[in-house]
Amino acid sequence: MTDTLFTNAKLIDPESGTITTGAIGVTNGQISAIITDQTPHPQAEKTVDCNGKHLAPGIVDIGVKVCEPGERHKESFGSAGLAAAAGGVTTMVTRPDTDPVIDNPETLEFVIRRAREAAPVNVLPMASLTKGRKGREMTEIGFLLDAGAVAFTDCDHVITDSKVLSRALAYARSLGALVIAHPQDPSLSAGAAATSGKFASLRGLPAVSPMAERMGLDRDIAMVEMTGARYHADQITAARALPPLERAKDNGFDITAGTSIHHLTLNALDVADYRTFFKIKPPLRDEEDRLAIAEAVQSGLIDVISSMHTPQDEESKRLPFEAAASGAVALETLLPAAMRLFHADLITLPQLWRAMSLNPAKRLGLPCGRMAVGAPADLVLFDPHAPFVMDRATLHSKSRNTPFDGARMQGKVLATYVAGRSVFQKP
C-alpha cells in the first residue's frame, strides 16, 4: 500500500530533461513509483490531485545565511525554515558567517540542534575553512566533518595568503571535503558598491571591474590544479570568468560553479534610484554579463543556481547606498524569479531544476534532487504561470530586504513536501 499518491501532475525530471504527465507514489518518505497515464495507479492511503500543475524535486539551496547564533533579530532557523518551505526549498545548505563564526564542532553542533528543533525543512550546515574566517589558520576540518559539516567556506572573506589556502585545500582533499570559495580579488573589490562603467560613474558610486572576479577565479583554479581539491565557486557573475572556468572543466579539474538568482534576473541599471535592496555582493552586472551567465546555466557550464539568501535589517539597509549593507533575502523569491528565465525562453524548466536541485545535491553527495524511485520524496508543486505582485510584507523571513518588492512576477509555490510530509500549503 502506497502512503501517498500524487496524481494528475506534470512531472519535471532534471536528469532526463523531460516533463511528462503522470503520478508519483510515496512510501515511507521515499518515491516508490513513477506512473505514466497508461499505467494503473496503485492503491494509496492518501491521494493528492495536482490538478495538472508541475511537480518537481524540492530545491537544494547552497549558501543560505541563517543568523543563528548572534543575530536572531535578522533571521532564525524557524523563520528561515518557513520561508524555505513557502519557496519550495526543501534543503537549506547554510553558511558559517554567523556571530560567532561556525569554526568549531561545538558551535556546529549547536546549529544542527537548533535547525532540527525549529526548521520544517532539511538543514545542512557548512563550516568555515579558516578560524574566524580570518584567512590565517585553517579549522579542524576532520573534526568538523565528523560533526556534520557538508562543506567548508569563508564565504565572502577571500583568503589572500596563498600558502594558507594551498594547505587548507590539500588537507581538505586528503579528507574528501568540498571547499566553496568566493572568486574575487579583494584588493580590487574592497569598498565597491557597483560594477565599474559609465552608469556607476554617473551615479558617483565606488565600483569594481568584473576582472576582479576573473582574477580571483584564475588564482583559485591554479590552487586546485596544484592540490587536486574538490572546489566550488559560489558565484560566477561576469562573462569574463566563463572561459577560464570552461578550460578548468575541460582539463578535468574537480570544479563546479554557481551563480545567484539575482545576477540572473537583475542588472546594474536596477540600482538607478540608489535602492539599497539592490545592493548585493558581487554587485549587479551589465546586461551582457547577465545574458552570458544565463546561457552558461543553460549549457551546463555553470552548475548551480542559488538564492544567496542574506537577511539584513532595516537599519542596515536604510543608509546611503555606499554605506548600506550588502545582501538580499531570496528563499521565497527564488522560484518565481527563476520563472522569469523560463518565460523569457532563456532556460527550460528541466534545466532550471538541474541547476536548483539535481546538481547541488550531486555536488554534496545527497540522494535528493531527483525524480526517481528510491529518492527522498522532497517535492514542490507549483504553477509557473500564476501571476502576482510581490509584497515584501507577506514574506516569512524576519528581514524583508528583497529587490523584488512591488514587482510583477509569475510562478507560485502551491505546496512543499519533505519526505512526503506537507510542510507548506498555499492558503
Side-chain angles (χ1 to χ4, degrees):
M1 175 77 73
T2 299
D3 294 340
T4 308
L5 186 66
F6 294 87
T7 63
N8 189 23
K10 293 178 181 176
L11 307 176
I12 298 175
D13 186 342
E15 283 187 293
S16 65
T18 59
I19 301 177
T20 56
T21 302
I24 282 184
V26 173
T27 306
N28 296 327
Q30 293 185 326
I31 298 175
S32 56
I34 298 178
I35 305 143
T36 62
D37 282 347
Q38 291 74 32
T39 308
H41 290 184
Q43 289 185 328
E45 295 180 6
K46 178 184 177 183
T47 299
V48 176
D49 186 352
C50 297
N51 295 311
K53 305 305 181 186
H54 288 73
L55 189 66
I59 296 170
V60 180
D61 193 4
I62 295 180
V64 175
K65 180 169 182 177
V66 179
C67 305
E68 286 191 69
E71 297 177 301
R72 290 190 74 244
H73 66 285
K74 292 184 178 181
E75 194 78 288
S76 66
F77 280 106
S79 61
L82 292 175
V89 175
T90 53
T91 299
M92 295 191 298
V93 183
T94 58
R95 301 188 336 230
D97 52 341
T98 51
D99 184 18
V101 174
I102 302 172
D103 61 1
N104 59 77
E106 293 77 19
T107 307
L108 181 65
E109 287 165 1
F110 164 80
V111 165
I112 292 172
R113 185 173 66 252
R114 283 288 300 132
R116 287 174 179 167
E117 292 170 355
V121 300
N122 302 312
V123 179
L124 303 175
M126 297 187 284
S128 63
L129 187 61
T130 64
K131 292 183 179 180
R133 300 197 300 138
K134 294 179 179 178
R136 293 198 292 265
E137 183 182 359
M138 67 180 174
T139 54
E140 296 285 357
I141 296 175
F143 291 155
L144 288 163
L145 275 175
D146 292 343
V150 296
F152 295 84
T153 179
D154 278 359
C155 306
D156 60 353
H157 284 194
V158 178
I159 299 175
T160 56
D161 189 325
S162 295
K163 183 170 284 188
V164 171
L165 179 59
S166 67
R167 287 173 174 169
L169 287 173
Y171 192 57
R173 181 191 181 281
S174 70
L175 296 171
L178 175 66
V179 173
I180 298 180
H182 182 69
Q184 197 71 217
D185 183 303
S187 60
L188 285 176
S189 61
T195 296
S196 59
K198 181 179 179 180
F199 182 80
S201 297
L202 289 173
R203 288 293 185 272
L205 295 173
V208 59
S209 167
M211 284 301 293
E213 183 176 298
R214 161 76 180 272
M215 293 166 64
L217 183 62
D218 282 336
R219 193 279 301 255
D220 287 0
I221 289 172
M223 288 290 177
V224 171
E225 182 177 5
M226 183 171 69
T227 61
R230 299 175 62 219
Y231 174 94
H232 177 78
D234 64 352
Q235 293 186 81
I236 298 297
T237 64
R240 289 179 176 178
L242 296 176
L245 174 63
E246 187 171 16
R247 287 194 297 271
K249 287 191 168 190
D250 289 343
N251 287 333
F253 301 157
D254 194 351
I255 286 180
T256 52
T259 193
S260 86
I261 192 61
H262 297 121
H263 289 98
L264 282 169
T265 55
L266 303 169
N267 67 31
L269 299 181
D270 287 306
V271 178
D273 297 324
Y274 300 100
R275 296 177 62 189
T276 58
F277 284 178
F278 288 87
K279 185 182 180 184
I280 59 176
K281 188 183 291 185
L284 292 172
R285 304 301 192 187
D286 294 334
E287 178 67 2
E288 293 78 9
D289 287 300
R290 185 187 77 84
L291 293 175
I293 298 302
E295 184 178 343
V297 173
Q298 189 270 339
S299 70
L301 177 58
I302 289 181
D303 307 87
V304 173
I305 298 173
S306 61
S307 71
M308 294 309 294
H309 179 81
T310 305
Q312 299 288 3
D313 55 21
E314 298 286 326
E315 291 75 13
S316 301
K317 280 292 188 181
R318 297 200 179 280
L319 294 169
F321 195 90
E322 184 178 344
S326 297
V329 294
L331 281 168
E332 286 178 76
T333 56
L334 174 56
L335 187 146
M339 291 305 99
R340 288 185 169 188
L341 302 165
F342 165 64
H343 292 299
D345 294 326
L346 292 175
I347 308 177
T348 66
L349 290 177
Q351 288 166 345
L352 281 171
W353 257 263
R354 178 187 67 193
M356 294 194 298
S357 295
L358 177 63
N359 285 347
K362 286 171 64 176
R363 193 55 169 146
L364 295 169
L366 306 176
C368 55
R370 297 165 173 81
M371 191 65 77
V373 173
D378 297 345
L379 304 166
V380 54
L381 179 67
F382 69 101
D383 181 351
H385 303 289
F388 68 102
V389 175
M390 172 58 64
D391 179 2
R392 72 189 189 102
T394 65
L395 296 177
H396 291 79
S397 295
K398 287 187 177 182
S399 298
R400 293 167 176 175
N401 50 305
T402 172
F404 296 113
D405 185 37
R408 291 179 173 88
M409 307 189 81
Q410 276 184 284
K412 286 184 179 180
V413 174
L414 304 177
T416 305
Y417 301 87
V418 174
R421 178 177 56 86
S422 174
V423 293
F424 172 78
Q425 291 285 336
K426 182 171 174 51

